[in-house]
Structure formats: structure tokens, C-alpha cells
Amino acid sequence: MPASSYRRSTLFTLGAALALSLASPAFASLPPSVDGQPIPSLAPMLAKVTPAVVNISTKTHVRARDPYFDDPLFRQLFGNQGFQRERVEQSLGSGVVIDAAKGYVLTNNHVVGGADDITVTLQDGRDFKAKLLGSDPDTDVAVLQIPADRLQALPIADSSQLRVGDFVVAVGDPFGLGQTATSGMVSALGRSGLGKGFQNFIQTDASINPGNSGGALVNLRGELVGINSMIFTPSGGNVGIGFAIPTDLATGVMKQLLAYGKVRRGNLGLEVQDITPRIAQALNLKDTNGAVVTRINDGSPAEGAGVQVGDVLSAVDGKPVRAAQDVRNAEGLLPLGAKVKLTVKRDGATQDVQATIAAVKLATLDGAKVDARLAGVTLSDLTPEQKAQGLYGVALSGVRRGSAAASAGLQDGDIVIGIAQRRVAGVKSLPTTGSLGGRQLLLTVVRDDAVYYAVL
């Protein structure tokens, strides 16, 4: 038999055996011991875990313009409204029941975000239409609710107690094949810098594949330690590096979503940057670990704690700071009112100070004070989350209907990075003359990762 055929045959045989073992307890039964020694098995633990792991399928209706609409003659014949076609996008993922009485299901934002229809399928085959109670793209956490009885929820473990080397099991629905369990260990903790948002991932070599997103990562006691979220792969398949959101983070976000419908984040009121070798030399530092403070906002928690420009943050709550992103992650993952210990290096000495995470105070300015043609809009500084993504400029809000800005197609949430071909860094960089001159006012605008010009 060719090697490829043998592999396919082996995979089929193992897959069939696994499916039968999950479906038929009698078939899966093993002798309790061999030569007087008990046989280790994950089957008893999985029998308790798998009923709490669900399959999630979604449908999203997407409107797309007819490509012929780009033809000027076509627009002249059929009008400026154009023709829109609708397509339906479908996706699959997983979720975890975390409250059986209330029907709460924890999953990933990228599994259900923007979906028009969400269906949850339980292990016993029952299907339920799910209600999205809240989602947070910055941590990739979402909470659903299903009107189901006889649910089984997973107990939640303290993920802060995990250690590299602990054994874990991932349960989900990869590739739509059906519920699947894979085992491995925790290979790293506190992973970040893997994309946008706030991250503190558990890294595991338990096989995670497309469709596993939102599924459970459990310890050997069958307790939930993480929500499987993403993989690192050059090929699209699993290569032994998967990432899960720790339960400490996921449940903290869940509580805010249930209480407020969104996550209320605060900050320390400071700006930091990475330490380059030249900066380390200038500050007489031994290495480039940490983040140097470049700005302190007036009245901010950092100012109240005594942090100064030029200080180097080396740890937050005892966790080492390797780069500026570590500070931004810490701010974004801590709830409002949380007290945090900052370890600061200054003039060769190290000291600890305490600050309290407070609500973000964003500077705002009436657009009319910049130029009369911007009347009817409010300009505000970007949030720390937006700045962490490398964005700069000012955000538009309150775009009044009938204003020049609305007529030019500007919308709430647009980011203006240039006015009259001058770079805009923030509200403080805006002129307040009320008139920038010229017959037309040119704005450089960012929307959905695209940059375009608007003329008022």
C-alpha cells in the first residue's frame, strides 16, 4: 500500500475508532488495569466536559455593489443608487456553556461578530437560535445566550495558577468534522504582540484548527482554563502552536459585557515607547527591557502616583515589562478602579508606586473653532486602543445632518489625519482660528483601514 494511502487509511481507522468511542460507552470500555496497574485515560474527564462544549454556526448577509456600477455610462442609464447584490457568508466555530441556568455561552468575537443569524448546536443534537449579549473585539471575547434546559456548564479554574508544562486538553469542532478532543501541554504563558487588541494568551501544543475557535481548553480535572482563539501557522493547518484566552481575562470581560453591554476600559494617563539601544545608552540602562515614559497627562493616575517623563517602567503588578506593548496590554486588561503596582527605574534606582486605573478622558474640540466649514462635528483625541494600533489623528463624532461634513460623506468614527494638507496628531495640534482660508477645505480621512480625501 502506498504511504499516502496508508496514512489516509490509518487516519480513517483512528477517526472511526474515536467517533465510536465517544458515541458508544460500551465500545470505549477498557479493562481497569493491566498486571495490577491502572490504565490512565482521559475518557472519564471528557465525559463530563464534552456536553458543555457546543458547535456554533453563523450566517452573515453581505451587500456588494454590482461591478458594472463603476462604469459612468451604466450610472447614467440606471441612476446613482446603483445595484446591490446580497451574498450570505457562513462560518463555523465552537463555544462553552459557562452558566447552565441562564444559558450563557462563552465564545470568540471573531466567531459571531457581525453575524445576522447564530445557531448553537449541543452535543445531544439540539439546535437553538442564540442571542448575542455582548462582544469585545479588543480581547476577542463574546457572550451568547440560548433558551435551553438540561444544560451542563464547565467549572472555571484560576488560569493564573497555570504553569508551563501543565497538561491541557482542547475540545471543539475543527473543520466541521464534529466534536473533537486533542491533548497537549501549556508551552508558554503571557503571549502578546500577535495582532491587534489586548493579548495575554496561553500557548499550547494541543492541536487547534479552524473551527476550534471559541472552544474549551481544560485542565486534567475538566476545569476551563482558556477559550481557544487562534493558531500560528504558515500552511493554514495546525503546526503545534495554538493560543487560548485565559479564563481570568475572558470571565472578567464577560462580567462587564453582561453588566454594561460593553467593556469599560481605563488607563494610566501616560504614553510610553520601546527602549532602543541608543535610548538605553542615553539613560544608562543595562539592557533594552522595559518601556520609557514619554508623556504624562495632567490629572492622570500616573501623575498622581508620581511617575515622571523619562522613567522606565520595568514591571506592572510584578509582571516584567519587556516593551511598550506590555504596558498597553496591562492597561487594557485591567478593569476600571483596579489598583496597580508600577515598578519604576529612575536615576539608577528602582521603586514601586501605586496607581488606580481611571476612565479615559479624551480632549475634544468643536469643529467650528477650527474652521467654520467643520461646524456640526466634534473632534476628539483617539482612544488608547486606537493609538495602540498605530493610529494617529482626531476622531469625528456627532456629525450633524445637513452639515458640510455630512454632505462631504463624513461619518461618526472617521479619523482625520490631515487638514489642509497639514498632519494632525491630536486635538492639541489643531488650529483654533475658525478659518483656514481657501475656497475648499481638504481633509485626509481614514475609514476601515482605507485613506481618502474629503472636500468641504
Side-chain angles (χ1 to χ4, degrees):
M1 179 184 297
S4 59
S5 299
Y6 174 80
R7 285 195 294 269
R8 288 196 296 271
S9 175
T10 303
L11 285 171
F12 176 81
T13 303
L14 291 174
L18 176 59
L20 286 172
S21 67
L22 289 174
S24 172
F27 183 89
S29 61
L30 294 170
S33 63
V34 173
D35 296 331
Q37 297 296 320
I39 296 178
S41 175
L42 298 176
M45 180 271 285
L46 286 174
K48 298 178 181 178
V49 168
T50 52
V53 181
V54 302
N55 168 261
I56 297 175
S57 58
T58 66
K59 293 181 180 179
T60 306
H61 298 272
V62 179
R63 293 183 179 273
R65 248 183 204 184
D66 193 297
Y68 290 110
F69 182 67
D70 293 330
D71 190 319
L73 178 61
F74 190 86
R75 292 201 303 269
Q76 183 179 358
L77 291 174
F78 295 99
N80 290 326
Q81 296 302 315
F83 291 86
Q84 290 191 339
R85 296 177 299 172
E86 186 178 87
R87 69 178 187 272
V88 178
E89 295 182 348
Q90 298 182 332
S91 67
L92 295 174
S94 305
V96 183
V97 178
I98 44 83
D99 190 319
K102 297 180 179 178
Y104 292 157
V105 176
L106 200 58
T107 186
N108 288 144
N109 171 74
H110 77 260
V111 171
V112 297
D116 299 308
D117 182 86
I118 305 172
T119 300
V120 171
T121 302
L122 304 182
Q123 188 195 42
D124 60 16
R126 290 184 291 163
D127 290 334
F128 296 93
K129 295 296 182 184
K131 177 182 179 182
L132 178 61
L133 298 181
S135 62
D136 181 46
D138 289 325
T139 53
D140 199 20
V141 173
V143 183
L144 306 176
Q145 186 176 35
I146 55 176
D149 57 4
R150 306 192 314 277
L151 289 175
Q152 182 170 319
L154 279 186
I156 299 174
D158 180 0
S159 59
S160 68
Q161 299 302 310
L162 279 177
R163 301 170 300 170
V164 173
D166 285 349
F167 289 107
V168 287
V169 177
V171 183
D173 184 9
F175 301 109
L177 293 173
Q179 196 173 80
T180 303
T182 55
S183 65
M185 72 174 190
V186 174
S187 48
L189 293 167
R191 288 295 196 215
S192 62
L194 303 173
K196 297 180 179 180
F198 303 110
Q199 302 169 354
N200 185 28
F201 288 121
I202 301 166
Q203 180 179 315
T204 178
D205 64 353
S207 184
I208 297 174
N209 286 289
N212 272 112
S213 291
L217 187 71
V218 299
N219 58 25
L220 295 187
R221 291 186 293 273
E223 299 166 332
L224 186 68
V225 296
I227 300 295
N228 300 322
S229 182
M230 61 184 294
I231 60 175
F232 178 84
T233 172
S235 62
N238 180 268
V239 293
I241 302 178
F243 303 95
I245 303 167
T247 51
D248 289 0
L249 170 56
T251 54
V253 170
M254 178 190 69
K255 290 176 182 177
Q256 291 208 52
L257 292 176
L258 293 176
Y260 311 111
K262 63 179 182 179
V263 177
R264 303 190 303 172
R265 289 193 170 89
N267 71 351
L268 293 168
L270 51 74
E271 294 182 14
V272 294
Q273 74 175 62
D274 291 341
I275 299 175
T276 64
R278 294 187 68 179
I279 292 175
Q281 183 179 12
L283 297 177
N284 295 317
L285 300 175
K286 296 180 180 179
D287 51 46
T288 58
N289 289 325
V292 61
V293 178
T294 57
R295 181 178 177 181
I296 303 288
N297 296 335
D298 294 339
S300 66
E303 183 184 54
V307 180
Q308 300 177 10
V309 172
D311 286 349
V312 173
L313 294 182
S314 59
V316 177
D317 275 344
K319 182 178 179 181
V321 170
R322 297 179 297 273
Q325 185 61 42
D326 293 334
V327 179
R328 300 186 187 108
N329 274 341
E331 286 183 306
L333 299 178
L334 289 169
L336 284 175
K339 296 187 182 300
V340 57
K341 182 179 72 173
L342 306 176
T343 302
V344 177
K345 292 181 181 178
R346 182 189 304 160
D347 298 329
T350 300
Q351 60 179 306
D352 290 333
V353 298
Q354 190 175 71
T356 302
I357 299 293
V360 178
K361 295 180 180 179
L362 301 177
T364 61
L365 184 65
D366 184 351
K369 293 183 178 180
V370 178
D371 188 280
R373 287 162 288 191
L374 285 171
V377 302
T378 298
L379 307 171
S380 62
D381 281 336
L382 302 186
T383 65
E385 293 87 352
Q386 290 172 316
K387 290 181 179 179
Q389 296 171 18
L391 297 174
Y392 67 91
V394 292
L396 295 183
S397 61
V399 179
R400 190 177 65 223
R401 187 175 181 180
S403 65
S407 299
L410 295 173
Q411 303 175 7
D412 287 358
D414 284 347
I415 297 174
V416 176
I417 61 174
I419 298 179
Q421 296 186 322
R422 302 174 188 171
R423 186 179 187 273
V424 175
V427 167
K428 287 186 176 181
S429 69
L430 293 171
T432 55
T433 60
S435 176
L436 294 175
R439 295 180 56 186
Q440 295 179 321
L441 182 63
L442 182 68
L443 305 182
T444 309
V445 182
V446 175
R447 181 190 298 167
D448 297 332
D449 296 326
V451 181
Y452 72 97
Y453 289 115
V455 180
L456 281 68

